[in-house]
Amino acid sequence: MPNESLYKIIFHNQAQVYEIYARSVGSADIFGFLEVEELLFGERSQLLVDPGEEKLKSEFSGVKRTYIPMHAIVRIDEVEKEGVAKVSDSKGQSNVSYFPTPGNQAQKPPSK
């Protein structure tokens, strides 16, 4: 299908930045999570193997649908063609700030 949407999702996971591609992205029935379905990994017949993409392939092997916490999402792009899925260290990206979420904000003691 030439008109089928394709999304690039970039998110943080355990001190690493993941970049994956999927056909379907939407809000989940689970509060605070993004639902990602139909993950895509390049099927290449080359002799060279990208270790980052292979790590993701094995990590998401057999996964029909994954739920990513909203606060971990860095960016979602609708793209025209699939790129290479990859994992990279988040070193040097410590300037990323997460939005505060209800329930985990520090409570100020009442003033007298």
Side-chain angles (χ1 to χ4, degrees), residues 1 4-9 20-26 34-43 60-68 82 85:
M1 289 181 166
E4 201 169 0
S5 295
L6 177 62
Y7 300 94
K8 176 172 72 170
I9 303 104
I20 60 174
Y21 291 84
R23 291 272 178 217
S24 176
V25 175
L34 181 75
E35 183 177 279
V36 179
E37 293 183 90
E38 297 182 56
L39 299 172
L40 302 171
F41 298 101
E43 300 298 325
F60 289 103
S61 174
V63 173
K64 177 181 176 183
R65 172 183 308 126
T66 188
Y67 298 91
I68 303 169
E82 181 184 348

Side-chain angles (χ1 to χ4, degrees), residues 52-97:
E53 187 171 29
E54 289 301 313
K55 179 183 187 283
L56 283 171
K57 268 181 156 175
S58 64
E59 184 172 339
F60 289 103
S61 174
V63 173
K64 177 181 176 183
R65 172 183 308 126
T66 188
Y67 298 91
I68 303 169
M70 290 283 195
H71 68 271
I73 300 293
V74 174
R75 181 177 176 152
I76 300 172
D77 295 323
E78 186 171 5
V79 295
E80 292 182 7
K81 64 180 187 173
E82 181 184 348
V84 177
K86 58 187 169 186
V87 178
S88 57
D89 289 331
S90 64
K91 292 179 183 175
Q93 298 179 14
S94 60
N95 59 350
V96 173
S97 297

